[in-house]
């Protein structure tokens, strides 16, 4: 698209929902904000030279274009994502999940009534992400559990279509470790990432983590020495279930609600890996990630201690445990399997 066409499209496509075989949400590209985010992520990576990946997920409007009605506006998400990725340095893993989703286009990867991807779509993305990290998974590694066949999401509410509904599945790894989840440092860990009460609410997608919180910390009983930090929107909520067996801890930050010191969090949670995981629409409209990253980008010198600690981990010489393993109650649960 040339600049004149993009400008006219920006005027025409402001929160457009299209109803066909599925519902799709279109929003105009904001290339200035995307460039600003590329620069900010690059500065963050220079400040914290950790193993960093970025995954911007195209929506159903891009992947399932053939399910939209005739003469619907064409999606331009992949072009915008490619332009964004081209601005990142080579030592940041830019994961083109769009091609993976397109290869599986005939599968149930997006809800028909909601803007989220399904757990199956999230699985395909998780497989690509873990492969980029040197880890292989297969569909047979997980047990699929349908938990709802009556989901009507946010797009159904916008269009008023009463004829579409969706199924929600959760996937549990056959080698799933024991783990505890703490929300917003409340000191009350729970042993699951799922909230079955959400299945009785309007937004059943909240079965994953109960919705969005500013900070979620998962401590896992694994042999891994890797500690993952995820900056995310709600697309990540259904993908994390596939990552649990492969990390010692997963720290999840939703910048829309996070106002604390990210530098201190990176140190206290001994972060070795970083993943930016967003769907296209939210990534190219929301500015909260800039605020969180800029608050950590003030220093002039790279912070090497985390990466050096990761090198110690890889040599099997972890020098100290995570402070969140301190409680005797957690130790008892973690090692007894109770």
């Amino acid at each position: 698209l040339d600049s004149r066409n993009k400008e006219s499209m920006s005027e025409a496509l402001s929160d457009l929902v299209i109803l066909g075989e599925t519902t799709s949400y279109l929003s105009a590209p904001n290339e200035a904000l995307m460039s600003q985010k590329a620069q900010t992520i690059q500065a963050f990576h220079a400040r914290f030279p950790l193993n960093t990946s970025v995954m911007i997920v195209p929506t159903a409007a891009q992947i399932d274009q053939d399910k939209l009605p005739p003469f619907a506006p064409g999606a331009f998400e992949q072009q915008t994502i490619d332009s964004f990725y081209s601005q990142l340095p080579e030592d940041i893993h830019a994961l083109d999940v769009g091609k993976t989703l397109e290869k599986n286009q005939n599968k149930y990867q997006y809800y028909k009534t909601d803007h989220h991807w399904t757990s199956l779509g999230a699985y395909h993305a998780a497989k690509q992400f873990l492969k980029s990290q040197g880890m292989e998974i297969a569909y047979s590694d997980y047990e699929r559990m349908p938990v709802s066949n009556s989901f009507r999401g946010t797009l159904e509410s916008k269009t008023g279509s009463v004829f579409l509904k969706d199924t929600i599945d959760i996937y549990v790894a056959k080698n799933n470790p024991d783990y505890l989840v703490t929300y917003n440092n409340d000191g009350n860990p729970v042993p699951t990432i799922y909230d079955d009460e959400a299945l009785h609410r309007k937004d059943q997608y909240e079965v994953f983590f109960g919705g969005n919180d500013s900070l979620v910390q998962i401590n896992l009983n694994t042999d891994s020495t890797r500690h993952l930090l995820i900056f995310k929107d709600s697309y990540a909520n259904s993908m994390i279930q596939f990552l649990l067996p492969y990390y010692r801890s997963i720290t999840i930050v939703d910048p829309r609600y996070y106002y604390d010191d990210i530098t201190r969090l990176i140190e206290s949670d001994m972060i070795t890996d970083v993943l930016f995981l967003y769907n296209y629409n939210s990534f190219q409209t929301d500015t909260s990630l800039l605020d969180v990253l800029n608050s950590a980008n003030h220093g002039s010198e790279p912070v090497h201690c985390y990466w050096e600690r990761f090198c110690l981990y890889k040599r099997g010489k972890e020098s100290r445990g995570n402070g969140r393993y301190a409680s005797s109650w957690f130790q008892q649960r973690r090692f007894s399997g109770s």
Side-chain angles (χ1 to χ4, degrees):
L1 295 177
D2 59 34
S3 59
R4 184 173 57 185
N5 287 335
K6 287 181 179 178
E7 183 178 353
S8 61
M9 186 172 292
S10 296
E11 295 175 355
L13 291 183
S14 178
D15 299 346
L16 176 62
V17 178
I18 297 177
L19 179 64
E21 294 178 43
T22 183
T23 49
S24 296
Y25 179 92
L26 299 180
S27 62
N30 186 338
E31 293 188 352
L33 180 59
M34 296 286 274
S35 295
Q36 189 177 2
K37 285 187 174 179
Q39 295 169 11
T40 303
I41 289 173
Q42 182 173 351
F44 180 83
H45 181 60
R47 176 74 169 147
F48 301 95
L50 303 169
N51 177 33
T52 300
S53 304
V54 180
M55 179 182 286
I56 310 303
V57 184
T59 70
Q62 173 72 50
I63 303 302
D64 292 338
Q65 294 187 57
D66 62 324
K67 297 179 182 178
L68 297 178
F71 312 113
F76 41 81
E77 297 175 2
Q78 191 61 53
Q79 181 179 344
T80 307
I81 293 171
D82 290 343
S83 175
F84 167 76
Y85 281 165
S86 70
Q87 301 174 60
L88 297 176
E90 292 184 357
D91 57 346
I92 293 179
H93 304 286
L95 300 174
D96 184 6
V97 71
K99 290 184 175 62
T100 298
L101 296 171
E102 286 177 354
K103 290 178 182 177
N104 295 279
Q105 183 186 20
N106 61 331
K107 299 177 181 177
Y108 184 45
Q109 297 187 117
Y110 292 92
Y111 296 114
K112 299 185 293 290
T113 68
D114 195 70
H115 66 285
H116 291 104
W117 56 7
T118 65
S119 289
L120 182 59
Y123 161 76
H124 290 137
K127 183 175 182 178
Q128 179 177 350
F129 167 65
L130 289 172
K131 184 175 182 179
S132 76
Q133 303 300 300
M135 295 174 275
E136 296 282 350
I137 63 172
Y139 187 82
S140 59
D141 294 339
Y142 300 86
E143 182 178 357
R144 181 178 69 89
M145 300 180 183
V147 295
S148 174
N149 60 6
S150 60
F151 176 41
R152 291 183 169 92
T154 55
L155 297 183
E156 186 269 343
S157 300
K158 289 178 181 292
T159 61
S161 173
V162 297
F163 303 106
L164 297 176
K165 62 181 180 179
D166 283 294
T167 298
I168 296 179
D169 299 326
I170 65 174
Y171 285 74
V172 178
K174 295 176 181 178
N175 64 336
N176 220 38
D178 291 333
Y179 62 90
L180 286 176
V181 186
T182 303
Y183 293 87
N184 302 314
N185 286 317
D186 67 1
N188 297 303
V190 295
T192 179
I193 64 172
Y194 304 110
D195 179 5
D196 59 355
E197 293 183 359
L199 299 174
H200 306 288
R201 301 195 294 263
K202 167 62 178 173
D203 188 0
Q204 295 182 4
Y205 185 78
E206 290 186 349
V207 69
F208 304 104
F209 291 96
N212 297 305
D213 287 88
S214 62
L215 175 65
V216 180
Q217 293 159 302
I218 310 174
N219 288 288
L220 301 122
N221 182 14
T222 70
D223 294 329
S224 175
T225 57
R226 302 175 75 160
H227 299 259
L228 176 64
L229 170 61
I230 302 177
F231 294 100
K232 64 92 183 181
D233 65 10
S234 55
Y235 261 51
N237 295 2
S238 57
M239 190 175 111
I240 291 168
Q241 59 187 331
F242 300 103
L243 309 183
L244 298 179
Y246 303 101
Y247 291 91
R248 181 70 172 273
S249 70
I250 301 177
T251 300
I252 307 159
V253 169
D254 191 326
R256 295 171 294 183
Y257 315 109
Y258 189 82
Y259 301 99
D260 292 329
D261 187 340
I262 198 68
T263 301
R264 186 179 303 161
L265 182 67
I266 290 172
E267 182 174 31
S268 66
D269 285 19
M270 303 171 69
I271 299 302
T272 59
D273 300 65
V274 177
L275 171 63
F276 295 89
L277 175 55
Y278 284 82
N279 84 79
Y280 166 82
N281 281 334
S282 66
F283 190 74
Q284 62 97 38
T285 56
D286 182 70
T287 61
S288 59
L289 179 63
L290 296 176
D291 298 330
V292 171
L293 297 187
N294 284 329
S295 70
N297 288 345
H298 293 315
S300 59
E301 297 297 328
V303 180
H304 291 292
C305 60
Y306 315 113
W307 186 251
E308 290 168 356
R309 189 180 296 136
F310 176 50
C311 294
L312 289 175
Y313 291 160
K314 293 185 71 173
R315 293 198 297 269
K317 297 180 180 179
E318 184 174 355
S319 59
R320 65 183 179 92
N322 190 313
R324 285 185 274 118
Y325 292 154
S327 77
S328 58
W329 178 84
F330 182 81
Q331 292 281 9
Q332 181 179 1
R333 179 180 181 84
R334 178 170 175 247
F335 294 110
S336 68
S338 58

